[in-house]
Short mmCIF file of all heavy atoms in Angstrom, two decimals:
data_model
loop_
_atom_site.label_atom_id
_atom_site.label_comp_id
_atom_site.label_asym_id
_atom_site.label_seq_id
_atom_site.Cartn_x
_atom_site.Cartn_y
_atom_site.Cartn_z
N MET A 1 -17.48 21.38 -38.43
CA MET A 1 -16.96 20.89 -37.17
C MET A 1 -16.03 19.70 -37.39
O MET A 1 -15.06 19.54 -36.67
CB MET A 1 -18.14 20.52 -36.27
CG MET A 1 -17.74 20.05 -34.91
SD MET A 1 -16.97 21.37 -34.00
CE MET A 1 -16.51 20.56 -32.53
N ALA A 2 -16.32 18.89 -38.37
CA ALA A 2 -15.49 17.71 -38.63
C ALA A 2 -14.08 18.12 -39.04
O ALA A 2 -13.11 17.48 -38.63
CB ALA A 2 -16.12 16.83 -39.69
N SER A 3 -13.96 19.18 -39.84
CA SER A 3 -12.63 19.61 -40.26
C SER A 3 -11.85 20.17 -39.08
O SER A 3 -10.64 19.99 -38.98
CB SER A 3 -12.72 20.64 -41.38
OG SER A 3 -13.35 21.81 -40.91
N ARG A 4 -12.53 20.83 -38.16
CA ARG A 4 -11.86 21.36 -36.97
C ARG A 4 -11.39 20.21 -36.08
O ARG A 4 -10.29 20.26 -35.52
CB ARG A 4 -12.81 22.28 -36.22
CG ARG A 4 -12.10 23.10 -35.18
CD ARG A 4 -12.98 24.17 -34.64
NE ARG A 4 -12.94 25.30 -35.55
CZ ARG A 4 -13.40 26.50 -35.27
NH1 ARG A 4 -13.98 26.71 -34.11
NH2 ARG A 4 -13.32 27.47 -36.12
N LEU A 5 -12.20 19.17 -35.96
CA LEU A 5 -11.81 18.01 -35.17
C LEU A 5 -10.60 17.32 -35.79
O LEU A 5 -9.67 16.92 -35.08
CB LEU A 5 -12.98 17.03 -35.06
CG LEU A 5 -12.72 15.77 -34.24
CD1 LEU A 5 -12.41 16.14 -32.79
CD2 LEU A 5 -13.92 14.85 -34.31
N LYS A 6 -10.59 17.20 -37.12
CA LYS A 6 -9.44 16.62 -37.80
C LYS A 6 -8.19 17.44 -37.54
O LYS A 6 -7.10 16.89 -37.33
CB LYS A 6 -9.69 16.54 -39.31
CG LYS A 6 -10.69 15.51 -39.72
CD LYS A 6 -10.89 15.55 -41.22
CE LYS A 6 -12.05 14.69 -41.66
NZ LYS A 6 -12.31 14.80 -43.08
N THR A 7 -8.32 18.75 -37.51
CA THR A 7 -7.18 19.62 -37.26
C THR A 7 -6.67 19.41 -35.84
O THR A 7 -5.46 19.33 -35.61
CB THR A 7 -7.56 21.10 -37.47
OG1 THR A 7 -8.08 21.24 -38.79
CG2 THR A 7 -6.38 22.00 -37.30
N PHE A 8 -7.58 19.33 -34.86
CA PHE A 8 -7.17 19.08 -33.48
C PHE A 8 -6.45 17.73 -33.35
O PHE A 8 -5.44 17.62 -32.66
CB PHE A 8 -8.37 19.11 -32.54
CG PHE A 8 -8.79 20.48 -32.14
CD1 PHE A 8 -10.09 20.90 -32.35
CD2 PHE A 8 -7.90 21.36 -31.56
CE1 PHE A 8 -10.50 22.17 -31.98
CE2 PHE A 8 -8.29 22.63 -31.18
CZ PHE A 8 -9.59 23.04 -31.40
N VAL A 9 -6.97 16.71 -34.01
CA VAL A 9 -6.34 15.39 -33.96
C VAL A 9 -4.96 15.44 -34.60
O VAL A 9 -3.99 14.87 -34.07
CB VAL A 9 -7.24 14.33 -34.62
CG1 VAL A 9 -6.50 13.02 -34.82
CG2 VAL A 9 -8.50 14.12 -33.80
N LEU A 10 -4.84 16.15 -35.71
CA LEU A 10 -3.55 16.26 -36.38
C LEU A 10 -2.54 16.99 -35.49
O LEU A 10 -1.40 16.54 -35.35
CB LEU A 10 -3.70 16.99 -37.72
CG LEU A 10 -2.42 17.18 -38.52
CD1 LEU A 10 -1.85 15.85 -38.95
CD2 LEU A 10 -2.69 18.06 -39.72
N ILE A 11 -2.95 18.08 -34.87
CA ILE A 11 -2.06 18.81 -33.97
C ILE A 11 -1.69 17.94 -32.77
O ILE A 11 -0.55 17.95 -32.32
CB ILE A 11 -2.71 20.14 -33.52
CG1 ILE A 11 -2.85 21.08 -34.71
CG2 ILE A 11 -1.91 20.79 -32.42
CD1 ILE A 11 -1.54 21.52 -35.33
N PHE A 12 -2.65 17.18 -32.25
CA PHE A 12 -2.36 16.27 -31.14
C PHE A 12 -1.30 15.26 -31.56
O PHE A 12 -0.35 15.00 -30.82
CB PHE A 12 -3.63 15.54 -30.70
CG PHE A 12 -3.36 14.46 -29.70
CD1 PHE A 12 -3.17 14.77 -28.37
CD2 PHE A 12 -3.28 13.14 -30.10
CE1 PHE A 12 -2.90 13.77 -27.45
CE2 PHE A 12 -3.01 12.13 -29.20
CZ PHE A 12 -2.83 12.44 -27.86
N LEU A 13 -1.47 14.67 -32.73
CA LEU A 13 -0.50 13.68 -33.19
C LEU A 13 0.88 14.28 -33.39
O LEU A 13 1.89 13.66 -33.05
CB LEU A 13 -0.99 13.01 -34.48
CG LEU A 13 -2.19 12.08 -34.32
CD1 LEU A 13 -2.67 11.59 -35.69
CD2 LEU A 13 -1.84 10.91 -33.43
N VAL A 14 0.93 15.49 -33.93
CA VAL A 14 2.22 16.16 -34.11
C VAL A 14 2.86 16.42 -32.74
O VAL A 14 4.06 16.19 -32.56
CB VAL A 14 2.05 17.47 -34.91
CG1 VAL A 14 3.30 18.31 -34.87
CG2 VAL A 14 1.66 17.16 -36.34
N GLY A 15 2.07 16.87 -31.77
CA GLY A 15 2.59 17.08 -30.43
C GLY A 15 3.04 15.79 -29.77
O GLY A 15 4.06 15.75 -29.08
N PHE A 16 2.28 14.72 -29.98
CA PHE A 16 2.63 13.42 -29.42
C PHE A 16 3.95 12.93 -29.98
O PHE A 16 4.84 12.51 -29.24
CB PHE A 16 1.50 12.42 -29.72
CG PHE A 16 1.69 11.09 -29.09
CD1 PHE A 16 1.40 10.90 -27.75
CD2 PHE A 16 2.13 10.01 -29.83
CE1 PHE A 16 1.55 9.67 -27.15
CE2 PHE A 16 2.30 8.77 -29.25
CZ PHE A 16 2.01 8.60 -27.90
N ILE A 17 4.08 13.02 -31.29
CA ILE A 17 5.33 12.61 -31.93
C ILE A 17 6.48 13.52 -31.48
O ILE A 17 7.60 13.06 -31.24
CB ILE A 17 5.18 12.60 -33.46
CG1 ILE A 17 4.22 11.47 -33.87
CG2 ILE A 17 6.52 12.43 -34.16
CD1 ILE A 17 3.78 11.51 -35.31
N GLY A 18 6.19 14.81 -31.34
CA GLY A 18 7.21 15.74 -30.85
C GLY A 18 7.67 15.39 -29.44
O GLY A 18 8.86 15.48 -29.13
N GLY A 19 6.75 14.99 -28.59
CA GLY A 19 7.10 14.57 -27.24
C GLY A 19 7.97 13.33 -27.23
O GLY A 19 8.93 13.23 -26.46
N ILE A 20 7.62 12.38 -28.09
CA ILE A 20 8.44 11.17 -28.20
C ILE A 20 9.83 11.52 -28.70
O ILE A 20 10.84 11.02 -28.18
CB ILE A 20 7.76 10.14 -29.13
CG1 ILE A 20 6.49 9.60 -28.46
CG2 ILE A 20 8.71 9.00 -29.47
CD1 ILE A 20 5.65 8.73 -29.37
N LEU A 21 9.91 12.40 -29.70
CA LEU A 21 11.22 12.80 -30.21
C LEU A 21 12.03 13.54 -29.15
O LEU A 21 13.25 13.36 -29.04
CB LEU A 21 11.06 13.68 -31.45
CG LEU A 21 10.57 12.97 -32.71
CD1 LEU A 21 10.34 13.98 -33.83
CD2 LEU A 21 11.59 11.93 -33.15
N ALA A 22 11.37 14.36 -28.34
CA ALA A 22 12.08 15.06 -27.27
C ALA A 22 12.61 14.08 -26.23
O ALA A 22 13.73 14.23 -25.74
CB ALA A 22 11.15 16.08 -26.61
N LEU A 23 11.82 13.06 -25.90
CA LEU A 23 12.27 12.05 -24.95
C LEU A 23 13.46 11.26 -25.49
O LEU A 23 14.45 11.06 -24.80
CB LEU A 23 11.12 11.11 -24.59
CG LEU A 23 11.47 9.99 -23.62
CD1 LEU A 23 11.78 10.58 -22.25
CD2 LEU A 23 10.33 9.00 -23.52
N VAL A 24 13.34 10.82 -26.73
CA VAL A 24 14.44 10.07 -27.35
C VAL A 24 15.69 10.93 -27.42
O VAL A 24 16.80 10.47 -27.14
CB VAL A 24 14.02 9.56 -28.75
CG1 VAL A 24 15.21 9.05 -29.53
CG2 VAL A 24 12.97 8.48 -28.62
N THR A 25 15.49 12.20 -27.77
CA THR A 25 16.63 13.12 -27.84
C THR A 25 17.29 13.27 -26.48
O THR A 25 18.52 13.22 -26.37
CB THR A 25 16.18 14.49 -28.37
OG1 THR A 25 15.62 14.31 -29.67
CG2 THR A 25 17.34 15.46 -28.45
N SER A 26 16.49 13.44 -25.44
CA SER A 26 17.07 13.67 -24.12
C SER A 26 17.72 12.42 -23.54
O SER A 26 18.69 12.52 -22.79
CB SER A 26 16.01 14.19 -23.15
OG SER A 26 15.06 13.20 -22.86
N LYS A 27 17.20 11.25 -23.86
CA LYS A 27 17.74 10.02 -23.29
C LYS A 27 18.90 9.44 -24.08
O LYS A 27 19.81 8.85 -23.48
CB LYS A 27 16.65 8.95 -23.17
CG LYS A 27 15.70 9.20 -22.05
CD LYS A 27 14.87 7.97 -21.80
CE LYS A 27 14.04 8.18 -20.59
NZ LYS A 27 14.25 7.19 -19.58
N TYR A 28 18.88 9.56 -25.39
CA TYR A 28 19.87 8.87 -26.20
C TYR A 28 20.79 9.79 -27.00
O TYR A 28 22.00 9.61 -27.02
CB TYR A 28 19.17 7.89 -27.16
CG TYR A 28 18.32 6.87 -26.44
CD1 TYR A 28 16.94 6.92 -26.52
CD2 TYR A 28 18.90 5.89 -25.66
CE1 TYR A 28 16.15 6.00 -25.84
CE2 TYR A 28 18.13 4.96 -24.98
CZ TYR A 28 16.76 5.02 -25.08
OH TYR A 28 15.99 4.12 -24.40
N ILE A 29 20.21 10.77 -27.66
CA ILE A 29 21.02 11.58 -28.59
C ILE A 29 21.90 12.56 -27.84
O ILE A 29 23.09 12.70 -28.16
CB ILE A 29 20.11 12.29 -29.61
CG1 ILE A 29 19.43 11.22 -30.47
CG2 ILE A 29 20.91 13.26 -30.47
CD1 ILE A 29 18.42 11.75 -31.45
N ILE A 30 21.36 13.26 -26.83
CA ILE A 30 22.16 14.23 -26.09
C ILE A 30 23.32 13.56 -25.36
O ILE A 30 24.46 14.05 -25.43
CB ILE A 30 21.28 15.06 -25.12
CG1 ILE A 30 20.21 15.84 -25.89
CG2 ILE A 30 22.13 15.98 -24.25
CD1 ILE A 30 20.74 16.88 -26.84
N PRO A 31 23.10 12.44 -24.64
CA PRO A 31 24.27 11.78 -24.02
C PRO A 31 25.30 11.30 -25.05
O PRO A 31 26.50 11.38 -24.81
CB PRO A 31 23.66 10.60 -23.26
CG PRO A 31 22.26 11.00 -23.00
CD PRO A 31 21.86 11.82 -24.18
N TRP A 32 24.81 10.80 -26.18
CA TRP A 32 25.74 10.36 -27.22
C TRP A 32 26.55 11.53 -27.75
O TRP A 32 27.76 11.42 -27.95
CB TRP A 32 24.96 9.69 -28.35
CG TRP A 32 25.82 9.30 -29.51
CD1 TRP A 32 26.67 8.23 -29.57
CD2 TRP A 32 25.94 9.99 -30.74
NE1 TRP A 32 27.30 8.21 -30.78
CE2 TRP A 32 26.87 9.29 -31.53
CE3 TRP A 32 25.36 11.12 -31.27
CZ2 TRP A 32 27.22 9.70 -32.80
CZ3 TRP A 32 25.71 11.52 -32.54
CH2 TRP A 32 26.63 10.82 -33.29
N LEU A 33 25.89 12.67 -27.98
CA LEU A 33 26.62 13.85 -28.42
C LEU A 33 27.62 14.31 -27.36
O LEU A 33 28.70 14.80 -27.70
CB LEU A 33 25.64 15.00 -28.73
CG LEU A 33 24.94 14.95 -30.07
CD1 LEU A 33 23.95 16.10 -30.17
CD2 LEU A 33 25.92 15.00 -31.21
N GLY A 34 27.28 14.16 -26.09
CA GLY A 34 28.19 14.51 -25.01
C GLY A 34 29.44 13.66 -25.02
O GLY A 34 30.53 14.13 -24.65
N GLU A 35 29.30 12.40 -25.42
CA GLU A 35 30.47 11.52 -25.51
C GLU A 35 31.30 11.81 -26.76
O GLU A 35 32.52 11.82 -26.71
CB GLU A 35 30.03 10.06 -25.53
CG GLU A 35 29.42 9.58 -24.24
CD GLU A 35 28.87 8.18 -24.35
OE1 GLU A 35 29.10 7.52 -25.38
OE2 GLU A 35 28.18 7.76 -23.40
N VAL A 36 30.61 12.03 -27.87
CA VAL A 36 31.31 12.25 -29.13
C VAL A 36 31.91 13.66 -29.19
O VAL A 36 33.06 13.84 -29.60
CB VAL A 36 30.35 12.01 -30.33
CG1 VAL A 36 31.02 12.35 -31.65
CG2 VAL A 36 29.89 10.57 -30.33
N LEU A 37 31.12 14.65 -28.83
CA LEU A 37 31.56 16.04 -28.86
C LEU A 37 31.36 16.65 -27.47
O LEU A 37 30.29 17.20 -27.18
CB LEU A 37 30.76 16.83 -29.90
CG LEU A 37 30.84 16.32 -31.34
CD1 LEU A 37 29.81 17.02 -32.20
CD2 LEU A 37 32.23 16.57 -31.89
N PRO A 38 32.34 16.56 -26.61
CA PRO A 38 32.17 17.03 -25.23
C PRO A 38 31.78 18.52 -25.12
O PRO A 38 31.13 18.92 -24.16
CB PRO A 38 33.54 16.80 -24.60
CG PRO A 38 34.20 15.79 -25.44
CD PRO A 38 33.64 15.96 -26.82
N ALA A 39 32.13 19.32 -26.10
CA ALA A 39 31.78 20.74 -26.05
C ALA A 39 30.27 20.94 -26.16
O ALA A 39 29.74 21.96 -25.70
CB ALA A 39 32.49 21.49 -27.17
N LEU A 40 29.53 19.99 -26.75
CA LEU A 40 28.08 20.12 -26.91
C LEU A 40 27.30 19.56 -25.73
O LEU A 40 26.09 19.70 -25.68
CB LEU A 40 27.62 19.40 -28.18
CG LEU A 40 28.06 20.01 -29.50
CD1 LEU A 40 27.52 19.18 -30.65
CD2 LEU A 40 27.59 21.43 -29.62
N ALA A 41 27.98 18.95 -24.77
CA ALA A 41 27.28 18.31 -23.65
C ALA A 41 26.50 19.31 -22.82
O ALA A 41 25.44 18.99 -22.29
CB ALA A 41 28.27 17.56 -22.78
N ASP A 42 26.99 20.53 -22.71
CA ASP A 42 26.35 21.52 -21.86
C ASP A 42 25.13 22.18 -22.50
O ASP A 42 24.33 22.78 -21.80
CB ASP A 42 27.35 22.61 -21.46
CG ASP A 42 28.46 22.05 -20.59
OD1 ASP A 42 28.22 21.02 -19.94
OD2 ASP A 42 29.55 22.64 -20.58
N ILE A 43 24.99 22.11 -23.82
CA ILE A 43 23.87 22.80 -24.46
C ILE A 43 22.68 21.88 -24.75
O ILE A 43 21.70 22.32 -25.31
CB ILE A 43 24.32 23.50 -25.76
CG1 ILE A 43 24.75 22.48 -26.81
CG2 ILE A 43 25.38 24.52 -25.50
CD1 ILE A 43 24.93 23.08 -28.18
N GLY A 44 22.75 20.63 -24.33
CA GLY A 44 21.66 19.69 -24.58
C GLY A 44 20.34 20.13 -24.00
O GLY A 44 19.29 20.02 -24.62
N SER A 45 20.36 20.66 -22.79
CA SER A 45 19.12 21.11 -22.16
C SER A 45 18.52 22.29 -22.91
O SER A 45 17.30 22.44 -22.99
CB SER A 45 19.36 21.47 -20.70
OG SER A 45 20.31 22.51 -20.60
N PHE A 46 19.37 23.13 -23.50
CA PHE A 46 18.87 24.26 -24.27
C PHE A 46 18.18 23.79 -25.55
O PHE A 46 17.18 24.36 -25.96
CB PHE A 46 20.01 25.22 -24.62
CG PHE A 46 20.57 25.94 -23.43
CD1 PHE A 46 21.78 25.57 -22.90
CD2 PHE A 46 19.85 26.96 -22.83
CE1 PHE A 46 22.29 26.21 -21.80
CE2 PHE A 46 20.35 27.61 -21.72
CZ PHE A 46 21.58 27.23 -21.20
N ILE A 47 18.72 22.76 -26.16
CA ILE A 47 18.11 22.21 -27.38
C ILE A 47 16.72 21.68 -27.07
O ILE A 47 15.76 21.96 -27.78
CB ILE A 47 19.00 21.11 -27.99
CG1 ILE A 47 20.31 21.72 -28.49
CG2 ILE A 47 18.28 20.38 -29.11
CD1 ILE A 47 21.34 20.70 -28.92
N ILE A 48 16.60 20.91 -25.99
CA ILE A 48 15.31 20.34 -25.62
C ILE A 48 14.33 21.44 -25.22
O ILE A 48 13.15 21.42 -25.62
CB ILE A 48 15.48 19.32 -24.49
CG1 ILE A 48 16.27 18.12 -25.02
CG2 ILE A 48 14.14 18.87 -23.94
CD1 ILE A 48 16.68 17.14 -23.97
N ALA A 49 14.80 22.42 -24.46
CA ALA A 49 13.92 23.52 -24.06
C ALA A 49 13.45 24.31 -25.28
O ALA A 49 12.28 24.72 -25.35
CB ALA A 49 14.65 24.44 -23.09
N GLY A 50 14.31 24.53 -26.24
CA GLY A 50 13.92 25.23 -27.45
C GLY A 50 12.89 24.46 -28.25
O GLY A 50 11.91 25.03 -28.76
N PHE A 51 13.08 23.17 -28.37
CA PHE A 51 12.12 22.32 -29.08
C PHE A 51 10.77 22.34 -28.38
O PHE A 51 9.73 22.51 -29.03
CB PHE A 51 12.67 20.89 -29.18
CG PHE A 51 11.79 19.96 -29.95
CD1 PHE A 51 11.77 19.99 -31.33
CD2 PHE A 51 10.96 19.07 -29.30
CE1 PHE A 51 10.95 19.14 -32.05
CE2 PHE A 51 10.14 18.22 -30.00
CZ PHE A 51 10.13 18.26 -31.38
N ALA A 52 10.79 22.17 -27.06
CA ALA A 52 9.52 22.17 -26.31
C ALA A 52 8.85 23.54 -26.41
O ALA A 52 7.62 23.62 -26.55
CB ALA A 52 9.79 21.81 -24.85
N GLY A 53 9.62 24.60 -26.36
CA GLY A 53 9.05 25.94 -26.50
C GLY A 53 8.40 26.15 -27.85
O GLY A 53 7.34 26.77 -27.94
N GLY A 54 9.02 25.63 -28.90
CA GLY A 54 8.43 25.74 -30.23
C GLY A 54 7.12 25.00 -30.33
O GLY A 54 6.14 25.52 -30.89
N VAL A 55 7.06 23.80 -29.78
CA VAL A 55 5.83 23.01 -29.82
C VAL A 55 4.73 23.70 -29.02
O VAL A 55 3.58 23.82 -29.47
CB VAL A 55 6.07 21.58 -29.30
CG1 VAL A 55 4.77 20.83 -29.11
CG2 VAL A 55 6.98 20.82 -30.25
N ILE A 56 5.07 24.18 -27.83
CA ILE A 56 4.08 24.86 -26.99
C ILE A 56 3.56 26.12 -27.69
O ILE A 56 2.36 26.41 -27.66
CB ILE A 56 4.67 25.19 -25.61
CG1 ILE A 56 4.87 23.89 -24.83
CG2 ILE A 56 3.79 26.15 -24.83
CD1 ILE A 56 5.67 24.04 -23.57
N THR A 57 4.44 26.86 -28.35
CA THR A 57 4.02 28.07 -29.05
C THR A 57 3.05 27.75 -30.18
O THR A 57 2.04 28.43 -30.35
CB THR A 57 5.25 28.82 -29.60
OG1 THR A 57 6.12 29.13 -28.51
CG2 THR A 57 4.84 30.08 -30.32
N VAL A 58 3.33 26.71 -30.93
CA VAL A 58 2.42 26.32 -32.01
C VAL A 58 1.06 25.93 -31.45
O VAL A 58 0.02 26.31 -32.00
CB VAL A 58 3.04 25.17 -32.84
CG1 VAL A 58 2.02 24.54 -33.77
CG2 VAL A 58 4.23 25.66 -33.63
N VAL A 59 1.04 25.20 -30.35
CA VAL A 59 -0.23 24.80 -29.75
C VAL A 59 -1.02 26.01 -29.27
O VAL A 59 -2.23 26.12 -29.49
CB VAL A 59 0.01 23.79 -28.60
CG1 VAL A 59 -1.26 23.56 -27.79
CG2 VAL A 59 0.52 22.48 -29.15
N ILE A 60 -0.33 26.96 -28.63
CA ILE A 60 -1.02 28.16 -28.13
C ILE A 60 -1.59 28.98 -29.29
O ILE A 60 -2.74 29.43 -29.23
CB ILE A 60 -0.06 29.01 -27.28
CG1 ILE A 60 0.22 28.29 -25.95
CG2 ILE A 60 -0.62 30.40 -27.01
CD1 ILE A 60 1.31 28.92 -25.13
N VAL A 61 -0.82 29.15 -30.35
CA VAL A 61 -1.31 29.91 -31.50
C VAL A 61 -2.49 29.18 -32.15
O VAL A 61 -3.47 29.81 -32.56
CB VAL A 61 -0.17 30.16 -32.51
CG1 VAL A 61 -0.70 30.71 -33.82
CG2 VAL A 61 0.85 31.11 -31.91
N PHE A 62 -2.42 27.87 -32.22
CA PHE A 62 -3.52 27.11 -32.81
C PHE A 62 -4.79 27.26 -31.97
O PHE A 62 -5.88 27.44 -32.52
CB PHE A 62 -3.14 25.64 -32.94
CG PHE A 62 -4.26 24.82 -33.50
CD1 PHE A 62 -4.55 24.86 -34.85
CD2 PHE A 62 -5.04 24.04 -32.67
CE1 PHE A 62 -5.60 24.12 -35.37
CE2 PHE A 62 -6.09 23.30 -33.17
CZ PHE A 62 -6.37 23.34 -34.52
N ILE A 63 -4.66 27.18 -30.65
CA ILE A 63 -5.83 27.33 -29.79
C ILE A 63 -6.42 28.73 -29.96
O ILE A 63 -7.64 28.89 -30.06
CB ILE A 63 -5.46 27.05 -28.32
CG1 ILE A 63 -5.17 25.56 -28.14
CG2 ILE A 63 -6.56 27.50 -27.37
CD1 ILE A 63 -4.58 25.20 -26.80
N TRP A 64 -5.57 29.72 -30.01
CA TRP A 64 -6.05 31.10 -30.21
C TRP A 64 -6.79 31.23 -31.55
O TRP A 64 -7.86 31.82 -31.61
CB TRP A 64 -4.87 32.07 -30.17
CG TRP A 64 -5.22 33.44 -30.60
CD1 TRP A 64 -5.96 34.36 -29.94
CD2 TRP A 64 -4.87 34.04 -31.86
NE1 TRP A 64 -6.08 35.50 -30.68
CE2 TRP A 64 -5.41 35.33 -31.87
CE3 TRP A 64 -4.14 33.61 -32.95
CZ2 TRP A 64 -5.25 36.18 -32.94
CZ3 TRP A 64 -3.98 34.46 -34.01
CH2 TRP A 64 -4.54 35.73 -34.01
N ALA A 65 -6.22 30.65 -32.60
CA ALA A 65 -6.86 30.74 -33.92
C ALA A 65 -8.18 29.96 -33.94
O ALA A 65 -9.15 30.40 -34.55
CB ALA A 65 -5.92 30.20 -34.99
N ALA A 66 -8.23 28.82 -33.27
CA ALA A 66 -9.45 28.02 -33.25
C ALA A 66 -10.55 28.71 -32.45
O ALA A 66 -11.73 28.66 -32.83
CB ALA A 66 -9.17 26.64 -32.66
N LEU A 67 -10.19 29.37 -31.37
CA LEU A 67 -11.19 30.05 -30.56
C LEU A 67 -11.69 31.33 -31.20
O LEU A 67 -12.84 31.70 -31.04
CB LEU A 67 -10.64 30.35 -29.17
CG LEU A 67 -10.40 29.13 -28.28
CD1 LEU A 67 -9.78 29.56 -26.96
CD2 LEU A 67 -11.68 28.36 -28.05
N SER A 68 -10.82 32.01 -31.93
CA SER A 68 -11.25 33.25 -32.56
C SER A 68 -12.15 32.95 -33.76
O SER A 68 -13.09 33.69 -34.01
CB SER A 68 -10.05 34.10 -32.98
OG SER A 68 -9.29 33.43 -33.95
N GLY A 69 -11.89 31.88 -34.48
CA GLY A 69 -12.74 31.45 -35.58
C GLY A 69 -12.88 32.49 -36.68
O GLY A 69 -12.24 33.53 -36.67
N LYS A 70 -13.74 32.18 -37.63
CA LYS A 70 -14.02 33.12 -38.72
C LYS A 70 -15.08 34.10 -38.26
O LYS A 70 -16.07 33.73 -37.65
CB LYS A 70 -14.52 32.37 -39.95
CG LYS A 70 -13.49 31.52 -40.61
CD LYS A 70 -14.04 30.87 -41.86
CE LYS A 70 -13.00 30.02 -42.53
NZ LYS A 70 -13.49 29.39 -43.73
N LYS A 71 -14.87 35.34 -38.61
CA LYS A 71 -15.84 36.37 -38.27
C LYS A 71 -16.51 36.85 -39.55
O LYS A 71 -15.85 37.19 -40.51
CB LYS A 71 -15.16 37.52 -37.55
CG LYS A 71 -14.58 37.09 -36.23
CD LYS A 71 -14.20 38.30 -35.45
CE LYS A 71 -13.53 38.04 -34.21
NZ LYS A 71 -13.45 37.34 -33.25
N ASP A 72 -17.82 36.86 -39.55
CA ASP A 72 -18.56 37.29 -40.71
C ASP A 72 -18.79 38.81 -40.56
O ASP A 72 -19.54 39.24 -39.71
CB ASP A 72 -19.88 36.53 -40.79
CG ASP A 72 -20.63 36.85 -42.07
OD1 ASP A 72 -20.04 37.42 -43.00
OD2 ASP A 72 -21.82 36.52 -42.12
N ASN A 73 -18.14 39.58 -41.39
CA ASN A 73 -18.25 41.04 -41.32
C ASN A 73 -19.24 41.61 -42.33
O ASN A 73 -19.26 42.80 -42.56
CB ASN A 73 -16.88 41.69 -41.51
CG ASN A 73 -15.97 41.41 -40.33
OD1 ASN A 73 -16.44 41.21 -39.22
ND2 ASN A 73 -14.68 41.40 -40.59
N SER A 74 -20.04 40.76 -42.95
CA SER A 74 -21.01 41.27 -43.91
C SER A 74 -22.17 41.89 -43.16
O SER A 74 -22.61 41.44 -42.12
CB SER A 74 -21.50 40.15 -44.83
OG SER A 74 -22.15 39.17 -44.06
N TYR A 75 -22.71 42.98 -43.72
CA TYR A 75 -23.80 43.70 -43.06
C TYR A 75 -25.10 43.39 -43.71
O TYR A 75 -25.65 43.55 -44.56
CB TYR A 75 -23.51 45.20 -43.04
CG TYR A 75 -22.27 45.49 -42.24
CD1 TYR A 75 -21.07 45.75 -42.87
CD2 TYR A 75 -22.31 45.53 -40.85
CE1 TYR A 75 -19.93 46.03 -42.15
CE2 TYR A 75 -21.18 45.81 -40.13
CZ TYR A 75 -19.99 46.07 -40.78
OH TYR A 75 -18.87 46.36 -40.06
#
């Protein structure tokens, strides 16, 4: 159980850091890119949505794997 708790904490921290990076990206990097490269200004929301989708997918797969657990098939 302790190793599973460590895994949950690690995934939480990765998600937390990912959320901070998404916020920083949306507030500072995307507007800066819009000023420097005006052609990229319109795709900023797609970048953030893709990043958030990736993080959510990893969390869902992890929850599924944690709930399914190891199955002992020995008879």
Side-chain angles (χ1 to χ4, degrees):
M1 182 66 183
S3 64
R4 193 169 277 193
L5 181 63
K6 288 178 190 176
T7 304
F8 279 124
V9 169
L10 180 64
I11 293 296
F12 172 80
L13 290 175
V14 169
F16 185 78
I17 292 169
I20 291 172
L21 289 175
L23 179 67
V24 168
T25 300
S26 69
K27 285 193 174 237
Y28 302 110
I29 295 175
I30 299 296
W32 176 76
L33 280 176
E35 293 174 8
V36 175
L37 302 169
L40 292 180
D42 295 336
I43 66 168
S45 60
F46 292 104
I47 293 171
I48 293 172
F51 183 78
V55 170
I56 290 170
T57 302
V58 168
V59 169
I60 289 171
V61 169
F62 178 76
I63 290 171
W64 170 73
L67 291 177
S68 63
K70 291 183 180 181
K71 296 192 185 323
D72 186 15
N73 291 332
S74 62
Y75 297 102

